[in-house]
Amino acid sequence: MTFEEVTEQHLPEIREIYNYYVMNTTISFHTEELDLDQIKSSVMNKDTRYKTYVMLETNQMMGYVLITQYKSKQAYDICGEVTIYLKPDILGKGLGKQALYFIEKIAKEQGFHTLIATICMENTRSKSLFERNGYEQCALFKEIGYKFDRKLDIGSFQKIL
């Protein structure tokens, strides 16, 4: 597995991956598909501390991983939010763990002290991935989202690097 910083050429495939989760799961809390401009603004941050990488295996995109701003107030600058999206047909092959190790290394290099993952509590696969890799649940927000005719909880999972 190799990781490559995202470029505009990756955006259509990232959009396809992300929109699958929008339309078919509660992993994303978007309820409508994103267009290319919206995808671009979510994965290509003007602040160079926040990075997105595509995951490649034999030049095929397997998914992407990113660090985004946790909150916009300056005191939070030591914290980033980590997110991983994989192609749905390759789940369960250990790629999420590889992505997590990679992005944690990048986060340390960028000077982050803490990473947060925000996960819909129905997403037991992601919850398990983060917990197995040293993230602890530090918050639970009950019935904070509404999608597919049901109210959804989210949890925040934190790892101090």
Side-chain angles (χ1 to χ4, degrees), residues 11-12 14-23 28-43 64 85 147:
L11 296 179
I14 287 173
R15 180 181 181 266
E16 184 179 322
I17 292 168
Y18 187 75
N19 282 338
Y20 168 84
Y21 290 102
V22 169
M23 300 310 295
S28 165
F29 271 30
H30 280 111
T31 58
E32 297 177 8
E33 290 188 354
L34 274 62
D35 64 29
L36 279 178
D37 287 335
Q38 291 168 312
I39 289 292
K40 181 178 180 179
S41 69
S42 71
V43 301
Y64 62 103
Y85 281 98
K147 188 173 180 179

Side-chain angles (χ1 to χ4, degrees), residues 95-106:
L95 301 179
K97 182 177 183 175
Q98 290 179 52
L100 197 51
Y101 285 159
F102 174 80
I103 206 68
E104 286 175 358
K105 180 178 177 275
I106 296 297

Side-chain angles (χ1 to χ4, degrees), residues 57 121 135:
E57 193 168 87
M121 295 306 283
Y135 288 73

Side-chain angles (χ1 to χ4, degrees), residues 83-125:
T83 306
I84 302 168
Y85 281 98
L86 301 175
K87 285 188 171 180
D89 59 337
I90 60 158
L91 300 176
K93 298 183 179 181
L95 301 179
K97 182 177 183 175
Q98 290 179 52
L100 197 51
Y101 285 159
F102 174 80
I103 206 68
E104 286 175 358
K105 180 178 177 275
I106 296 297
K108 287 177 188 176
E109 290 170 2
Q110 294 292 353
F112 290 101
H113 175 68
T114 303
L115 288 179
I116 301 287
T118 303
I119 302 169
C120 177
M121 295 306 283
E122 290 186 352
N123 185 357
T124 56
R125 187 182 298 267

Side-chain angles (χ1 to χ4, degrees), residues 1-2 7-8 13 69 83 85 109 125 130 145 153 159:
M1 176 74 57
T2 60
T7 65
E8 290 206 27
E13 199 164 359
Q69 187 175 33
T83 306
Y85 281 98
E109 290 170 2
R125 187 182 298 267
F130 283 95
D153 301 343
K159 182 174 185 178

